[in-house]
Amino acid sequence: MNGIRRLVLQNVRPRTLCAHYSARAAPQRPKQTRLSAQSNLGPSAMSAHQVFAPLTKECPVFKISQPITVLREPQQFYKQLIHGIKHAQRHICLSSLYIGSEETELVAELKQALAQNTKLQVRVLLDCLRGTRTDSVGMSSAALLAPLVQQFGEERVQVFMYHTPALSGLSKQAWPQRYNETFGLQHIKAYIFDDDVIISGANLSRDYFTNRQDRYMRISDPQFSDYFVRLVSTIGQISFRVLNADQATGYKLEMADGVADPTRDPRGFVREANELMAQFLHRAEIEHAVEAGSISEHDTLAIPTVQMRQLGITQDESHMREFFELVHAFARNYKSRSLMASAYFNFSDQYKRSVLDSASRWDLLVASPQANGFYTAQGISQYIPDMYSIIEHEFAHMARARDDISIEEYMRDGWTFHGKGVWSYLNQPLPQLTMIGSPNYGYRSIYRDLEAQVTVVPGNTQLQKDIHQEALGLLAHSKIVSQDELKQRTRGSPLWLRGLKPFVMKKM
């Protein structure tokens, strides 16, 4: 019951964190060393499974017996998606922020799979605001998928559009497309084909299949797959359904009977959604609980966590807090190093504080301005990479007394960076834990969006090597940036841009 009390909050309105960092005089940090396959962090009497055992409490835990595949490139990701669609026999379940309106090939593959296998069922979960945003020719994710519902019926094809309760009434009418998405999104990225699950941070659009770097991990396990199918289905119960009816847009949206509309009754919606999600998580925790003594260091563990603070669900937030505490406690006695990646240098105050206070060494990997998805944007959005550089410089200034915290920027000609996650090297040259999923570890990942990630504790050396090579592959296109370099980059930034920092930190 402790887990449920932690999940179900009485006050679901986001709180603003007010963390104050003291200025400390310190010499310039020396150049940092990078992760390498040869570096040895020192011995320890405890195994990673023992150190991270507290992470298995109050969360479902899956022992994965089949090999886990770590994908490295967007093209591999797309091939796996198409392969999964072609070979699925029972169900396909896709959870993403959106499907690019140009992805007619992907939708055609779904259509062909449905036509060839009358027993196949397809579920798609997208964000309502992003999934109904139209492109230059008026096409949207919803309009792209609605014909599948019409042709094969709701019994076989269900398209769900989750809508945040934070945007309702007159506010919903006032905010235009794109800007309304700052209030909260369905951000979970999981792609399920029968017993196979691809966990990622990538969306379903052309750049994520070609030159937008993310992370992708395929896990094959029937119980693990069933967890994510039920997660998507549960969110689907509190989402709009896409139906093919409206001639103007090509679709219409309907809430299920008896479910509060988040745009009209946000309070009622939050109450119902909180109860439904808490029941799902509590049931999953009970069904997939493991005793600490039953875990062997040869077991590969997969621990899924979700974050839905607008609905009162804070499972991943608690999980991350526990992780930082465990790494810090271990590093007080043994050498430890962790790598944390995000598409944007916009880590939440509590995560930045955890890094700064940690006894462990930390490397932070983010997109360079040129690899930022907003680099070629128009209007005010073109200044967003500059804003992240300002935030990055401020953190480097706060970390100047530490010679074991480095900032690395991903820079690859013609590519953007959208990767996110954690690699933890407790006392070995190979990682003993990784986290992969949708959170960018920023304010909105904690307070605004629906997020899910999976903590993987490898039980064999081959998986450790694969995860390590993934990290090295990202770092191969990255470089360490110094405080002086960031200071030079942000010098001359207009004052009004700095004034937008609170908005960017909480909305982007």
Side-chain angles (χ1 to χ4, degrees):
M1 292 302 293
N2 289 337
I4 288 299
R5 284 198 296 271
R6 188 169 68 179
L7 293 172
V8 182
L9 306 180
Q10 297 301 315
N11 181 5
V12 297
R13 296 181 62 187
R15 300 194 304 270
T16 301
L17 299 180
C18 299
H20 300 280
Y21 304 114
S22 59
R24 298 167 292 179
Q28 182 66 36
R29 294 181 311 177
K31 184 177 180 180
Q32 307 296 315
T33 59
R34 313 186 79 189
L35 293 173
S36 69
Q38 289 75 34
S39 61
N40 196 323
L41 300 178
S44 166
M46 299 181 67
S47 70
H49 289 69
Q50 291 173 313
V51 173
F52 293 126
L55 296 180
T56 64
K57 299 177 181 178
E58 300 185 2
C59 291
V61 181
F62 300 87
K63 294 182 180 181
I64 308 299
S65 59
Q66 296 296 317
I68 291 177
T69 303
V70 180
L71 307 175
R72 300 273 295 276
E73 298 288 340
Q75 295 85 354
Q76 292 177 306
F77 171 53
Y78 185 68
K79 288 181 179 179
Q80 286 293 319
L81 290 174
I82 298 302
H83 180 273
I85 293 172
K86 287 180 177 293
H87 292 85
Q89 296 298 310
R90 304 188 308 276
H91 57 250
I92 296 171
C93 190
L94 309 176
S95 175
S96 185
L97 175 62
Y98 67 99
I99 296 180
S101 56
E102 75 284 355
E103 292 307 319
T104 54
E105 179 184 357
L106 189 71
V107 175
E109 292 289 352
L110 288 171
K111 180 179 178 180
Q112 183 176 356
L114 285 161
Q116 292 179 345
N117 181 358
T118 58
K119 296 182 179 180
L120 183 66
Q121 292 188 324
V122 173
R123 296 183 184 90
V124 181
L125 171 64
L126 305 175
D127 179 73
C128 189
L129 298 174
R130 185 64 179 85
T132 57
R133 189 210 292 182
T134 54
D135 61 15
S136 58
V137 296
M139 181 59 71
S140 66
S141 302
L144 189 67
L145 293 169
L148 293 180
V149 181
Q150 181 184 45
Q151 180 174 351
F152 298 101
E154 280 193 272
E155 297 78 13
R156 297 187 62 202
V157 179
Q158 297 175 314
V159 180
F160 304 118
M161 294 276 175
Y162 174 85
H163 194 292
T164 175
L167 186 65
S168 60
L170 294 177
S171 294
K172 180 173 174 59
Q173 303 301 320
W175 284 85
Q177 286 189 351
R178 187 181 181 90
Y179 297 100
N180 59 10
E181 297 166 23
T182 62
F183 285 84
L185 297 168
Q186 193 302 112
H187 201 240
I188 297 170
K189 321 295 173 58
Y191 308 107
I192 304 106
F193 310 97
D194 293 340
D195 295 340
D196 292 342
V197 182
I198 299 176
I199 297 297
S200 181
N203 293 303
L204 299 176
S205 67
R206 188 52 39 185
D207 51 345
Y208 290 94
F209 304 149
T210 53
N211 62 345
R212 187 156 173 76
Q213 183 67 60
D214 214 299
R215 298 183 66 203
Y216 336 86
M217 183 177 289
R218 190 185 70 191
I219 301 175
S220 300
D221 182 88
Q223 292 186 329
F224 185 76
S225 170
D226 181 66
Y227 168 88
F228 273 96
V229 169
R230 288 193 289 123
L231 173 63
V232 169
S233 298
T234 302
I235 299 173
Q237 293 180 49
I238 53 173
S239 300
F240 287 100
R241 295 172 298 159
V242 173
L243 304 176
N244 194 322
D246 192 293
Q247 293 184 352
T249 62
Y251 65 90
K252 71 175 182 178
L253 301 177
E254 284 187 1
M255 290 295 290
D257 293 338
V259 179
D261 186 329
T263 67
R264 298 178 180 178
D265 182 15
R267 290 182 179 273
F269 173 82
V270 168
R271 285 194 300 270
E272 294 176 13
N274 174 272
E275 181 178 359
L276 196 64
M277 292 308 308
Q279 288 176 351
F280 163 75
L281 292 172
H282 181 55
R283 177 183 174 185
E285 177 189 333
I286 293 175
E287 290 181 349
H288 303 289
V290 296
E291 296 294 334
S294 68
I295 297 175
S296 162
E297 64 182 30
H298 300 296
D299 290 327
T300 293
L301 307 180
I303 310 167
T305 50
V306 299
Q307 181 74 10
M308 306 173 176
R309 188 173 258 272
Q310 288 186 345
L311 307 182
I313 303 299
T314 61
Q315 186 185 50
D316 188 63
E317 182 182 349
S318 299
H319 186 78
M320 289 295 294
R321 185 185 305 113
E322 184 84 61
F323 166 73
F324 279 115
E325 292 173 354
L326 292 172
V327 169
H328 171 66
F330 182 89
R332 293 176 65 182
N333 299 299
Y334 307 99
K335 291 183 179 180
S336 172
R337 185 170 194 168
S338 291
L339 168 66
M340 189 175 191
S342 175
Y344 317 102
F345 199 101
N346 197 16
F347 299 104
S348 69
D349 283 350
Q350 58 261 56
Y351 292 166
K352 287 188 289 187
R353 185 76 264 169
S354 294
V355 170
L356 290 169
D357 290 343
S358 179
S360 175
R361 184 186 188 99
W362 280 90
D363 302 286
L364 303 179
L365 174 62
V366 296
S368 66
Q370 295 79 5
N372 189 295
F374 293 98
Y375 186 68
T376 58
Q378 301 296 316
I380 195 172
S381 295
Q382 66 183 299
Y383 295 101
I384 291 178
D386 295 330
M387 174 58 66
Y388 287 131
S389 291
I390 291 173
I391 300 171
E392 198 172 330
H393 174 248
E394 291 179 352
F395 177 82
H397 180 74
M398 291 186 291
R400 67 192 186 280
R402 296 279 301 269
D403 63 359
D404 57 354
I405 295 178
S406 69
I407 301 173
E408 306 220 13
E409 291 184 344
Y410 185 93
M411 184 180 295
R412 188 177 180 183
D413 189 35
W415 285 61
T416 57
F417 182 70
H418 198 250
K420 50 195 74 80
V422 173
W423 296 255
S424 188
Y425 299 73
L426 287 182
N427 60 332
Q428 299 293 333
L430 297 176
Q432 292 137 304
L433 174 147
T434 191
M435 294 181 179
I436 181 172
S438 64
N440 278 301
Y441 306 119
Y443 180 94
R444 67 172 302 154
S445 291
I446 298 174
Y447 290 94
R448 297 188 182 278
D449 297 341
L450 304 193
E451 305 278 15
Q453 68 175 345
V454 178
T455 298
V456 176
V457 182
N460 61 81
T461 303
Q462 185 57 56
L463 180 55
Q464 287 182 288
K465 289 180 179 178
D466 291 344
I467 295 170
H468 181 62
Q469 288 301 316
E470 176 196 30
L472 293 182
L474 297 177
L475 292 173
H477 297 287
S478 308
K479 72 165 189 172
I480 296 174
V481 290
S482 66
Q483 182 184 347
D484 286 344
E485 183 178 347
L486 291 167
K487 181 178 180 180
Q488 184 65 30
R489 184 193 298 172
T490 57
R491 183 175 294 170
S493 298
L495 291 178
W496 64 263
L497 184 59
R498 296 179 182 272
L500 285 178
K501 189 181 74 169
F503 176 85
V504 172
M505 292 185 71
K506 295 182 179 180
K507 296 286 189 178
M508 304 304 291

